Amino acid sequence: MKYLKRLLVVIFVIYLLPTFATAGWWAIQDRPARWSEARWSSAQILPQPGENEEAAIYVFSAATGGMKGAVASHAWIVTKDKGADSYTRYDKVGWGSPIRRNHRPADAFWYSNTPQLVAAITGVEAELLIPKVEGAIAAYPYAEPGGYTIFPGPNSNTFVAYVLRTVPEIGAVLPPHAVGRDYLPHGEFVHLDADGRDLHVTLRGLFGFSAGARSGIEVHFLGLVAGLDLANPGIKVPALGRIGL
């Protein structure tokens, strides 16, 4: 019983306390009451696509709407072929076509929340990786209608995380508040990334851990992520995100 109490205290301090604190702060903010009242226009993060002929790949994440936004974000992928005069944006959503193309501007606000640029690759490297990204998107196993569950997954973050694991050359991991990112397709319990540099062990994205060059050290509890970022030294805090050191 003593050890159980200690475990519960650890869970409360590491996972629940920051989650409750973030939810309290979020609740007092002035936010759109409905999706129709939210801002969905470009946040002016990306340059105009015609300004540079280089190929590009971008990964974005932004807090979602309602009280979910206190603890969860939505991620998407953007590509631009060499010489193209437009971006192509890919999202996994719970309405309409599960994998949507260009339903919002590439760097748009999400429910009025400013997107965070998680990864950016340009030039020859992006040119070589875009076919791999498109192949991973085409192979995503939950791309058909009905292939979406808000929690624990598969959801929008499951989709982007799948692409990042399939194309590890992008070198990115979604932020700790990307709930659903650790859900592995086909009920997998263990997954080693294609380059062997990150290991993921999970019980349907609810409980587990990740360790490796990109993930650092992470422990997952009910979709919440705590851990250490070793590549870019920092702390991963549930609901709040990554704090650099």
Side-chain angles (χ1 to χ4, degrees):
M1 183 62 70
K2 177 176 64 175
Y3 295 107
L4 177 59
K5 289 181 178 178
R6 289 178 179 175
L7 176 61
L8 292 175
V9 169
V10 169
I11 290 173
F12 178 79
V13 172
I14 294 179
Y15 292 95
L16 301 184
L17 189 60
T19 300
F20 291 153
T22 303
W25 174 83
W26 189 267
I28 63 175
Q29 303 303 307
D30 183 19
R31 309 223 174 251
R34 305 178 187 84
W35 72 269
S36 58
E37 298 173 357
R39 186 177 181 183
W40 302 94
S41 59
S42 170
Q44 303 299 314
I45 296 172
L46 297 180
Q48 292 299 313
E51 291 179 0
N52 193 323
E53 287 199 352
E54 289 188 325
I57 300 171
Y58 302 102
V59 178
F60 284 101
S61 177
T64 189
M67 280 305 297
K68 298 193 305 296
V71 298
S73 56
H74 168 80
W76 65 93
I77 301 171
V78 175
T79 64
K80 184 179 81 73
D81 290 326
K82 182 179 180 181
D85 58 3
S86 64
Y87 293 109
T88 301
R89 169 175 169 161
Y90 300 92
D91 294 70
K92 176 74 162 62
V93 293
W95 63 92
S97 301
I99 304 295
R100 302 191 62 144
R101 290 183 54 165
N102 300 326
H103 79 298
R104 304 290 182 196
D107 57 356
F109 292 93
W110 188 258
Y111 279 95
S112 296
N113 299 308
T114 304
Q116 166 193 352
L117 185 58
V118 176
I121 298 177
T122 59
V124 175
E125 185 180 4
E127 190 176 347
L128 295 174
L129 289 181
I130 285 176
K132 293 185 178 182
V133 170
E134 292 175 342
I137 292 171
Y140 181 62
Y142 302 108
E144 298 302 319
Y148 183 100
T149 302
I150 192 170
F151 181 82
N155 59 24
S156 61
N157 298 316
T158 309
F159 162 61
V160 176
Y162 172 86
V163 175
L164 294 179
R165 288 193 299 267
T166 306
V167 191
E169 297 94 329
I170 295 174
V173 175
L174 289 179
H177 43 59
V179 176
R181 63 169 202 164
D182 299 303
Y183 184 99
L184 294 177
H186 308 302
E188 280 186 294
F189 179 68
V190 179
H191 177 87
L192 186 65
D193 285 0
D195 62 354
R197 299 183 68 196
D198 267 37
L199 174 69
H200 311 273
V201 178
T202 185
L203 181 61
R204 299 188 68 82
L206 293 170
F207 306 98
F209 69 89
S210 294
R214 287 176 295 275
S215 295
I217 301 171
E218 298 180 348
V219 179
H220 313 142
F221 175 75
L222 295 178
L224 302 172
V225 176
L228 299 174
D229 186 345
L230 304 179
N232 299 295
I235 301 173
K236 300 183 180 185
V237 182
L240 186 60
R242 178 188 171 278
I243 300 175
L245 298 180

